[in-house]
Amino acid sequence: MPSTSIPALPNTPSWSSMTVLFLAFSCCKILLMPSYRSTDFDVHRNWLAITRHLPIKEWYHDDVNGTTVHTLDYPPSFAYWEYLLSNNPVTQYLIHDAELLDERCLQLLPDSDNTPSEACVIFHRSTVICSDMVLWWGAWVMATSSSTPSQVLFLGQFPASFLLTVFHPGLLWLDHVHFQYNGMLFGIFLASLGYLMKVNNSSTTEREFHKHHWKAAVLFALLLTMKHLFLTLGPFYFVYLLRRYCLEPPPSKQSSSQNTPQNSTKTIQLYPLHLITLSVYTGTTLLVPFLPFLRQMPQLLKRLFPFGRGLVHDYWAANVWALYSFVDKVSGLAHGPSLLDVPASVCALLLLLSLLPGLYFGAWKAAEEHDNMKLITAVVYSALCSFMLGFHVHEKAILNAIIPLLFLVCNNSKNTASLRVLCFQMTSLGLLGIFPLLFRPAELALKLVSYAAYMALCYHVLLERMDMSRQRLVVELLPLVAVVVGLVMLLEFVPIRFYGKLEFLPLLCTSVGCAVGLILCWIRLSLWMVGVIIG
Amino acid sequence: MVSLHVLVVSLALFVRILVGYQHHSGEDNYHGSKRAYGGDYEAQRHWMELTWHLPIGDWYWYDLQYWGLDYPPLTAYVSYVCGALSEWLVGPGTVALFKSRRYEGDPTHKAFMRATVWVLDALIYFPAVFFILKVLWQLKRQESSSTNEFLIAVLVALLQPSIILIDHGHFQYNTVALGLSLWSLFFIAHPSFFLSCIYGSVFFSLALNFKQMTLYYAPVIFAYLLGRCLAFNNGSKIPLWQQGLERFAALGGTVIITFVQLWWPFLLYGPRDNLSLVEDGSRNALRTMLQRGTHVLRRIFPLERGLFEGKVSNLWCALDTKPINIRDRIPADVQPLAALAATFLLMMPSCIALFLIGRASEQRKEAATRQHAADLKSLLWGCTSCAFAFFLASFQVHEKSILLALAPASLLVWEDVVFCDWMAVVATWTMWPLLVVDRLQLPYVCTLIIFATAITQLRTTPLLQTITMKPTDGDWVAWCWKILCQLSLAAMLVLHALEMVVPVPSHLPDLFPVLWSIGGCALCCLAWLRTVGSLLTEGRSALQKPKND
């Protein structure tokens, strides 16, 4: 229970509390093992089989003689992770000595006959639960990276942002129900951001200045070779590291009034040694995983970027293209000829264009002013752009924006009310947009209850103690609540047979409703980033 | 602080829903009985089926061999509503008469069944816990204490592992009966007699009519109400006997009216002819009604089943081990009497204490809220004690009956936090053999860890801190209590470890269930002693009060 939100300066890491909390939340995840699992479970099971039974050169070719669609389509480092899971002493022990896990669990199976045993599900789900340790580490690094006081919560004075991240229901639904390893990827991502932020503390030594930047770059490069979804954050990293690390002296070489942005902005000077070391570190991390696949790059790229899939996913993620498709559909009903098809290249171009302001007002300025808040703003903005304009975006990509946003709000001592409201709105709409992912009625209660619990916690942390007029709160939140309640009713409580021929209507309303809301948030964030503060 | 209230409720529901994904009793007929398929889950589903489709007269007569209805009328009515909802929300196949037997494996239907439990839980048990703790909070709170402490107590009370495991894992509706009983305690303890005690007895009648097991509370509640009827009231001009008569009549009338409302259909309507089992053609309407009534009663109280079933952590089961074998030494027809006598003996302290407290309750010159809290607290102790008396010594006890002792005890955090937490662990632990049969081992561990996390991380006076702290030198009771707590926790862990490591010897196949039953019995006796201890203090202070005035 949140006791007080008195800012405590040093967050005292209580390892026993952390372990107990991790254990308790892992118990919740264990209890979710029998719940719904998507075909992503089969996908990852198949990847285990591929990495266990096939030589490395066949990894990106194999499709079990055309009997499976669950082919490997993540970058190589993720394949190595699967290799690690399928070929380690523990797995060997479970299969051969203890006979707890059946051999069939890790075999190449056709899609028609791949029902896993109970032991297989437990084994597979446990790997996700354990890999969440990375998430906790990353969230901890990020939450404690700033020397500015952060809001703390109950439970041994943990930073609020840390708890809001590790208990994020989006990750719970995606990883522990739907089945993926997002927690681990987010851990790496947040740790990388955390190291970037650590450098901006006033007490940073020269050694730390180098080490933290290298760590951040290496972690991000590693992340890219695990999941290329994060590629859209590449420009941000490039600009930020260039300005912060390569065009700026390390702390000790600065003038006596060190770390005052005013002084450092005056001279922009290239430090070639910095550039070279950073490039070597990043380049190595990026390239080494690809080495075994150099000869099959075209095949690998074809798997990684399946552009044939179309502009929008089956269920439209709540982005600009959802609105576009909606208009398309409506005009199609009215006139016949529909709007233009949007090719992937146009998407990419639009995306790059939209990233540009973030790169200048966010990344460059953040590096120039050593401002962690601008840094996170840039990250959130970039992630939001790629969610809004990307090609064939999955609804879960919104997490890339709403999770870092938590750190922007909770770690900010002088933040404005509008930012907190923005975070609350984006979190509620973003999570609502993920609802259709767990479509079975059996998960309805789980979704609603975890959503209610999390939004209540968010409300307590973000808004309850704010000096905000009741009128303002009503204006900001009432439309949101109305939209959320309305959409939940449409989506979950009206029996599908009532829609008749319009059975797509609830999903369509959800994506369009969330899209409108999120686009408004996007605009608001952009304005905030370029310095226009509303409210 | 609305958000935190929402958070507490959703967290409590979250854990319930998580446990709901696990096996229910008798799933795939795993360890099911040979006679009928499945377990309590199939029984409840079957009741929905039969109440929804059959005329009310048939409910207690229809195919008694296959999970015949054997709970009191309110359960039957609730089943009727759930049956209607099941047909409407999930599909007619889920409750089709006869054809839906063994309906299983449909995740939507399972989620629906689970939802009926947690919705009723949230509607009845949650608010009862909330309001009772809110009243008790009046006694405890100080200037400095924040509302969070109260909300944490609510959350911890709602995370009781044994209640969650039985209702949301094994599948039963105990929280409805427990919630109704707690509601009745909440009303009964109120200082103003007429409205409150009458509301209270309505709720208690409803609880009795939902699950007969709530009779475990009846002696205490009766004793307390009797005390209230004969309460000293110096200010009033009405003579004591007249006051007593008036109040008693009001209570009796209320109970009778409530019962009649629930029972009349079962007295007026019998089974249709093709199902008829009795009805000897007698024209005497009263006699037929009596016959129907006794039939339902015999369904609800099956006395022929024996002293105990399976392995329960009570006295009879513990005394039935090898050298003593009490079941063989006492003749079968004396057994119920022996059980009755022993139960009577064990429940005396709570009944006497509550009678005295009831008599003294209207004499205090305190604020109404404090008076309400003081009586409520005593009633909770009394109900715990009396439920333990029944659990330990009465006839035909089930493992799950320990929940009746646990529910009131779980609200006594501010009285004795160690006892409260220790009880939660003990109650869960005694159910282990049952949970193994249900394949709920993993949820057992998980809910215990979640509960332990809640009490160690959220509360300012966690169990661990309390049992490791030093009691003051002279307080030998506190010392003993502390040592016993530590020893018993260690013993429970050791038994778990032994069960995992030691293979069961072939000539003692029931070794571990028996050890569990003996250990559990010892722990329950200890808990009963603890309740008697605090009832002594409470009763003594009630006796002193009149002299002071």
Side-chain angles (χ1 to χ4, degrees), chain A residues 1-3 17 20 24 27-28 30-32 34-35 154-155 172 440-443 445-446 449 453 456-457 459-460 464, chain B residues 1-4 6-8 10 13-14 17-18 21-22 107-108 111 118 148 152 155 442-443 446 449-450 453 457-458:
Chain A
M1 279 321 86
S3 53
S17 284
V20 170
C27 285
C28 296
I30 288 171
L31 292 175
L32 276 174
S35 67
F154 55 105
L155 300 163
L172 188 75
R440 299 195 323 178
E443 272 71 36
L446 175 79
V449 164
L457 189 59
Y459 184 82
H460 177 74
E464 201 145 52
Chain B
M1 304 303 267
V2 183
S3 64
L4 290 185
V6 176
L7 182 62
V8 165
S10 352
L13 282 179
F14 181 63
I17 289 164
L18 290 183
Y21 280 107
Q22 319 306 314
T108 309
W118 62 254
N148 292 330
I152 288 164
L155 181 64
L442 211 53
C446 290
I449 290 180
I450 291 169
T453 309
Q457 302 298 308
L458 293 178

Side-chain angles (χ1 to χ4, degrees), chain B residues 32-48:
Chain B
S33 85
K34 290 183 190 83
R35 208 157 37 81
Y37 180 91
D40 282 338
Y41 178 89
E42 171 64 9
Q44 296 282 356
R45 196 210 54 71
H46 178 66
W47 295 347
M48 292 179 196

Side-chain angles (χ1 to χ4, degrees), chain A residues 75 77 184-190 192 217-230 233 237 285:
Chain A
S77 289
M184 178 175 73
L185 301 173
F186 265 98
I188 299 173
F189 175 45
L190 294 178
S192 164
V218 165
L219 283 172
F220 184 68
L222 174 71
L223 185 65
L224 282 185
T225 62
M226 293 187 89
K227 175 104 194 185
H228 47 303
L229 178 77
F230 290 93
L233 289 171
Y237 266 86
T285 325

Side-chain angles (χ1 to χ4, degrees), chain A residues 21 47 68 81 85 125 138 148 177 195 210 236 271 276 282 315 341 376 389 414 417 420 428 434 444-445 470-471 482:
Chain A
L21 266 196
W47 294 356
T68 181
W81 162 248
L85 292 180
R125 293 255 200 216
T148 50
V177 184
Y195 283 119
H210 292 295
F236 158 79
Y271 290 80
I276 292 166
T282 319
Y315 161 66
D341 243 7
I376 308 179
L389 294 166
K414 54 175 189 291
R420 289 179 167 241
S428 49
I434 309 179
L444 172 60
R470 184 166 279 271
Q471 200 182 357

Side-chain angles (χ1 to χ4, degrees), chain A residues 323-344:
Chain A
L323 281 189
Y324 184 82
S325 309
F326 174 67
V327 173
D328 189 30
K329 211 154 199 168
V330 171
S331 67
L333 285 175
H335 312 295
S338 56
L339 296 178
L340 291 172
D341 243 7
V342 182

